[in-house]
Amino acid sequence: MIIWLNGPFGAGKTTTAELLTRRIPGGLLYDPEEVGALVRRLLPDRTCDFQDVEIWRPLVADAAHRLLQAYGGTLVVPMTLLDERYATEVFGLLDGYGVTVHHITLTCDPGVLRERIDQHVHFPDDPILSEDVRQWRLSKIGAYVDAMSWLPDRSHLVDTTSRPPQDVADQVLKAVG
């Protein structure tokens, strides 16, 4: 089984994923961003969004499937998927493997997202890189707002705007059953 935590940067996916893996027996944290880092290192154009690279999506699904085969349990996946085509592809591949995916979208007021992104120091040892990441994440808020046209029909929504992380994790576990 997979608990896929979707949503914008700053919604609390990573924090929630860490809490869930501590609470779920056999819970494993699987971050497709690591697959993205590998794909990016292999490409001549390292500035692209790795989600746009066709091979990233099947690699993510295949790695998840193989992790479940090898270790069982529950994979907790904190990964933003705001392009409906990409989500359809990844979840379709996982379905083809027979993997149950609980798609949870952590939502948040866009103004609060901006505050959270502005307050987070992404790379303390590299202020230039940290600022680049901050700007990139801020630029994705519009994509999140646009994705709310399809996400409510394809996932369970949990609003994190004013909830403490433990309560968010409780809501996710309740949604998963």
Side-chain angles (χ1 to χ4, degrees), residues 21-40:
T21 55
R22 283 185 248 151
R23 291 178 59 184
I24 298 171
L28 295 171
L29 180 63
Y30 166 51
D31 190 348
E33 187 112 4
E34 299 296 330
V35 176
L38 170 67
V39 167
R40 185 177 287 126

Side-chain angles (χ1 to χ4, degrees), residues 1-2 25-28 68 71-75:
M1 173 176 72
I2 292 176
L28 295 171
L68 286 170
Y71 301 105
T74 299
L75 288 186

Side-chain angles (χ1 to χ4, degrees), residues 139-152:
S139 77
K140 297 297 182 181
I141 292 174
Y144 159 66
V145 172
D146 292 346
M148 288 308 290
S149 67
W150 65 270
L151 281 169

